[in-house]
Amino acid sequence: MKKLIFTALLGLFSLNTMAQPIMLGQSMPLVSIPSNGELILENKDITYQPWDLRQPATTSHVLQYMAGTISASKLNEPFTDALEKVDPSTVYVTTIINLKDAMWGTKGFVKSEVEKNKRKFPESTLVLDEKGFGRVGWELAKKTSTIVITDSNGVVTYLKHGAMDENEIQAALELIRQQAIASTTEPAP
């Protein structure tokens, strides 16, 4: 029994030592989501593959991590709606839904809705985080939504936990625009 308790405590300690909070001006901490993961649409079938944070070849990466609840999905809907008007060559958007934070008995519904959205927007990157690896790994709050914007080097340039107001939405969109301009004026390596 003591060995079992020690093993459980060691596992919790190991998980916490791997966690890294997201910090402005720092590289986005790497997180892997092996359970469920990224939705892949092949013809009309959806499969899942493990997902890990990798830097896309664009000027900005917008990552939204949210609890699998209706209230969390509505928190930053004005921002995500505004993102639809941004030139897709200048921004890459990843949405991760934390199924562990879904209300009891709703995981199947959430999964079905995400699959429906993948079919409606096949170019979107949608990820289901069944075990909450992202929330723990990035030390995020439960039952909410977080928006992160990184530049082309993977450095965090914007971070917002919870709902964005109109000024924050405009500031985030302007940041994406500025990063796009900066990337076109940077000399080639």
Side-chain angles (χ1 to χ4, degrees):
M1 182 65 170
K2 287 181 183 179
K3 185 176 181 181
L4 181 61
I5 292 171
F6 176 76
T7 303
L9 288 173
L10 182 62
L12 286 174
F13 177 75
S14 297
L15 188 59
N16 286 333
T17 59
M18 294 185 333
Q20 288 186 291
I22 301 167
M23 298 178 67
L24 280 172
Q26 301 291 316
S27 293
M28 185 71 180
L30 299 179
V31 165
S32 295
I33 299 175
S35 183
N36 270 339
E38 183 177 353
L39 284 76
I40 305 297
L41 182 63
E42 296 173 8
N43 298 317
K44 293 184 180 187
D45 297 327
I46 291 184
T47 58
Y48 292 84
Q49 70 181 19
W51 179 89
D52 59 41
L53 181 66
R54 54 191 171 268
Q55 186 59 33
T58 60
T59 59
S60 296
H61 184 188
V62 175
L63 189 139
Q64 178 177 243
Y65 190 91
M66 73 173 91
T69 64
I70 292 173
S71 61
S73 72
K74 298 289 183 196
L75 281 177
N76 287 308
E77 198 170 74
F79 175 65
T80 56
D81 287 349
L83 271 178
E84 291 177 9
K85 298 173 186 149
V86 174
D87 178 0
S89 69
T90 64
V91 65
Y92 186 82
V93 180
T94 301
T95 302
I96 304 172
I97 298 92
N98 180 1
L99 284 178
K100 188 166 185 177
D101 279 353
M103 292 174 57
W104 186 85
T106 64
K107 285 183 183 180
F109 172 74
V110 172
K111 189 173 183 178
S112 173
E113 286 299 307
V114 173
E115 288 180 355
K116 190 186 305 180
N117 282 332
K118 181 64 179 179
R119 287 183 176 96
K120 188 174 179 181
F121 305 104
E123 70 287 346
S124 63
T125 300
L126 300 173
V127 180
L128 287 177
D129 185 359
E130 184 176 25
K131 305 288 185 190
F133 288 111
R135 188 184 61 73
V136 172
W138 288 318
E139 297 183 3
L140 303 174
K142 291 182 177 182
K143 311 262 185 221
T144 191
S145 175
T146 297
I147 300 288
V148 180
I149 301 175
T150 63
D151 64 13
S152 60
N153 296 314
V155 174
V156 177
T157 56
Y158 185 89
L159 174 63
K160 174 64 178 176
H161 302 290
M164 298 168 75
D165 64 29
E166 186 59 34
N167 289 334
E168 291 167 324
I169 291 170
Q170 293 309 314
L173 294 172
E174 178 61 19
L175 176 64
I176 292 167
R177 190 179 77 72
Q178 290 298 324
Q179 288 178 178
I181 291 169
S183 73
T184 60
T185 60
E186 290 176 359

